[in-house]
Amino acid sequence: MKPFHAYFQNINGTDTYPLDEVIYRSKVDNSLLEVHHDREALAERSPEEWKKLFAERRMSFKPEDMSGIWSKREMVLPEMPVEDIVTMREGWSPLFDAAPLAKELGIKSLKVKLCGNSHTGSFKDLGMTVLVSQVNHIIKKNIHPIDAVACASTGDTSAALSAYCAKAGIPSIVFLPAGKTSTAQLIQPISNGSIVLALDTDFDGCMKIVQEVTKDNRIYLANSMNSLRVEGQKTISPEICQELGWKVPDVVIIPGGNLGNVSALAKGFEDCKAMGLIDRIPRIVVAQAEHANPFFQAYERGFDKLVPVQAKKTLASAIQIGNPVSYPKAVRAIQSTNGMVVSVSEEELANAAHRADRIGLYACPHTGVALGGLEKLVLQGKIDKEEEVVVISTAHGLKFTEFKVGYHEQKLEGIQSHFANPIFKAPAEIGPVMDILKKEMANRRR
């Protein structure tokens, strides 16, 4: 059997680079890179053997097997020594059965992949375990001197980077746009000991700075233009299929900002199909907030080109990005899967998130964007009522307490909170208490 092997390759060319080289773009034409695997080697093992191996690892208590990412390590970084892996048992997130919401929307099946049920509360952990493990490997083997790892972030990336670097004992640097992250997101990298800089700009401005800071390669770049991140995030796809008994949903919807996530999803499904684990690839839908939707605008123009926008303030702060780095990869993902892009207003995302909470979820605003996109596409007839849909929940709602409180107190500017649930104040007397209970219980039975 051929050994498993992976390397960087230009997305628009044939130039390749080893994974332990500190490089983010092609030296030939400056295009983005992606990790290529020897799919012929992967295909030498039968689909039944892969499924058996993945099932066995699901029951294993080895640290690398308890990670949803590293339990599929041959698909991720096949040559990574187990001792260099930096993991916090990320992945293996629940696939929540949202049947009551599916019934409300009039579709056959809806499940929500709870990627926010992770160590730092977002799906960014899935990619960061891969990137930080590779940096850890480079440092340990003295391949290249690295002093720190840096990222630009609107919140979740910084939390993941700081936590994984802290566990590995590697310094981390975070650039955040001042005043544009939730308190929970801001405090995470601070608590984990990162060097945190709040810049008087937006995410795109932070992204420009971090690319300058990492030019000499002593500081390693951790944003999604680094394709190592994609290798971790793509495991969402085989994990969904495994949880569905190796069946494939018809549609997968994910919120999009910098757009590394959509290319990751497509790549994961493509790998599964190449290995014979699945026989088709679902349509992928990217949902964007109306206040930061350059990808949607490009989609409406037939993907003629990316026209960066000045992103406006949105409740979905983690995707408040006007110039997405991974645009070329995302275009390819949408086109190759016959996918779609949808834009969602602030009121639509807020109400969609809290409508979902009524069935036991606790949706972040970004998940609200995806759920709002689903509602809109069903109403437009672009998602058939017989289709099975999976929505990717990218972060835990607990990271956005201000959003939740503002919604239920009906204090979110310009938004009518259709699913607000007030707190009822009453004296400590049984009569007034019972009056409230009878009224509200009768209302909620309807």
Side-chain angles (χ1 to χ4, degrees):
M1 182 176 284
K2 293 174 65 177
F4 301 120
H5 176 59
Y7 51 90
F8 291 126
Q9 182 169 320
N10 182 345
I11 66 168
N12 294 317
T14 58
D15 49 308
T16 64
Y17 312 89
L19 294 183
D20 55 17
E21 184 172 346
V22 181
I23 186 169
Y24 317 109
R25 291 185 178 273
S26 164
K27 294 178 182 178
V28 176
D29 62 6
N30 205 42
S31 294
L32 293 173
L33 304 174
E34 64 183 355
V35 177
H36 268 247
H37 291 262
D38 185 343
R39 285 180 171 170
E40 288 185 6
L42 291 170
E44 285 187 10
R45 184 176 285 169
S46 72
E48 290 70 27
E49 288 174 313
W50 280 119
K51 291 175 184 178
K52 183 174 182 291
L53 177 63
F54 293 153
E56 289 171 350
R57 287 177 177 169
R58 186 71 178 93
M59 297 183 288
S60 167
F61 288 97
K62 292 180 180 178
E64 63 271 21
D65 291 341
M66 287 190 286
S67 163
I69 286 72
W70 297 107
S71 65
K72 295 175 175 62
R73 48 193 172 271
E74 294 86 355
M75 298 174 65
V76 180
L77 296 186
E79 295 155 291
M80 172 63 63
V82 170
E83 62 272 16
D84 291 346
I85 290 173
V86 183
T87 178
M88 298 187 191
R89 300 188 186 181
E90 57 289 313
W92 290 130
S93 56
L95 193 61
F96 184 96
D97 188 351
L101 185 54
K103 186 176 180 181
E104 283 184 39
L105 297 177
I107 59 174
K108 180 179 179 181
S109 170
L110 173 62
K111 292 182 171 60
V112 181
K113 182 65 169 163
L114 300 179
C115 296
N117 288 24
S118 191
H119 181 72
T120 73
S122 91
F123 82 111
K124 299 297 176 74
D125 291 357
L126 310 181
M128 208 58 74
T129 181
V130 176
L131 184 142
V132 174
S133 294
Q134 183 65 16
V135 172
N136 189 46
H137 173 67
I138 291 170
I139 292 172
K140 280 189 171 184
K141 300 300 185 289
N142 295 312
I143 296 168
H144 182 87
I146 295 175
D147 298 327
V149 186
C151 75
S153 178
T154 47
D156 291 334
T157 299
S158 67
L161 175 66
S162 63
Y164 281 85
C165 280
K167 189 171 192 291
I170 301 169
S172 60
I173 303 167
V174 169
F175 296 96
L176 296 167
K180 294 182 175 68
T181 61
S182 73
T183 303
Q185 290 172 304
L186 175 63
I187 202 63
Q188 284 181 289
I190 292 171
S191 297
N192 286 136
S194 291
I195 300 170
V196 179
L197 294 91
L199 305 185
D200 187 19
T201 183
D202 56 12
F203 172 83
D204 300 307
C206 290
M207 193 68 209
K208 290 177 183 176
I209 294 293
V210 78
Q211 289 181 76
E212 290 293 323
V213 166
T214 56
K215 269 185 176 178
D216 71 353
N217 289 342
R218 298 280 306 205
I219 299 176
Y220 195 84
L221 179 64
N223 283 96
S224 58
M225 65 181 289
N226 186 325
S227 56
L228 289 171
R229 289 264 306 278
V230 168
E231 291 309 291
Q233 290 168 199
K234 78 177 186 184
T235 60
I236 294 172
S237 303
E239 200 167 290
I240 288 170
C241 295
Q242 188 173 5
E243 288 172 304
L244 292 174
W246 294 107
K247 294 179 181 178
V248 184
D250 297 301
V251 180
V252 180
I253 305 177
I254 190 164
N258 218 19
L259 302 178
N261 50 14
V262 59
S263 59
L265 270 185
K267 194 167 190 286
F269 286 118
E270 288 164 3
D271 284 349
C272 287
K273 190 170 185 291
M275 295 164 68
L277 296 170
I278 59 176
D279 59 3
R280 63 185 178 88
I281 294 173
R283 284 190 296 159
I284 293 177
V285 176
V286 174
Q288 288 207 295
E290 198 173 85
H291 286 184
N293 64 356
F295 192 54
F296 171 75
Q297 292 181 33
Y299 170 75
E300 290 284 278
R301 297 191 306 270
F303 287 132
D304 56 348
K305 62 179 179 178
L306 172 66
V307 178
V309 302
Q310 182 66 49
K312 299 175 186 176
K313 184 178 181 181
T314 171
L315 294 165
S317 57
I319 56 175
Q320 188 176 321
I321 296 168
N323 189 16
V325 171
S326 296
Y327 172 81
K329 293 182 179 181
V331 170
R332 188 175 62 185
I334 294 298
Q335 291 177 334
S336 67
T337 65
N338 193 30
M340 295 178 286
V341 187
V342 62
S343 183
V344 178
S345 73
E346 296 297 290
E347 185 166 310
E348 287 169 337
L349 75 87
N351 282 313
H354 291 88
R355 182 182 196 172
D357 288 356
R358 289 296 185 97
I359 67 162
L361 286 164
Y362 195 62
C364 71
H366 316 91
T367 305
V369 174
L371 290 165
L374 169 62
E375 290 186 27
K376 183 172 282 189
L377 293 172
V378 171
L379 285 171
Q380 293 172 350
K382 294 179 180 177
I383 290 180
D384 189 88
K385 294 187 176 183
E386 290 302 308
E387 291 189 295
E388 298 182 347
V389 180
V390 171
V391 163
I392 307 300
S393 176
T394 55
H396 201 291
L398 285 170
K399 299 184 80 169
F400 300 91
T401 301
E402 297 98 325
F403 166 64
K404 295 294 188 185
V405 173
Y407 182 88
H408 288 291
E409 292 183 347
Q410 303 191 56
K411 292 179 180 178
L412 296 180
E413 187 177 351
I415 289 173
Q416 292 186 5
S417 302
H418 299 314
F419 302 96
N421 190 19
I423 296 174
F424 298 96
K425 295 183 179 180
E429 300 171 10
I430 190 62
V433 167
M434 289 305 300
D435 288 343
I436 292 171
L437 292 180
K438 287 177 182 177
K439 179 182 177 181
E440 291 305 313
M441 289 168 68
N443 287 340
R444 294 174 198 214
R445 278 197 294 267
R446 291 172 184 171

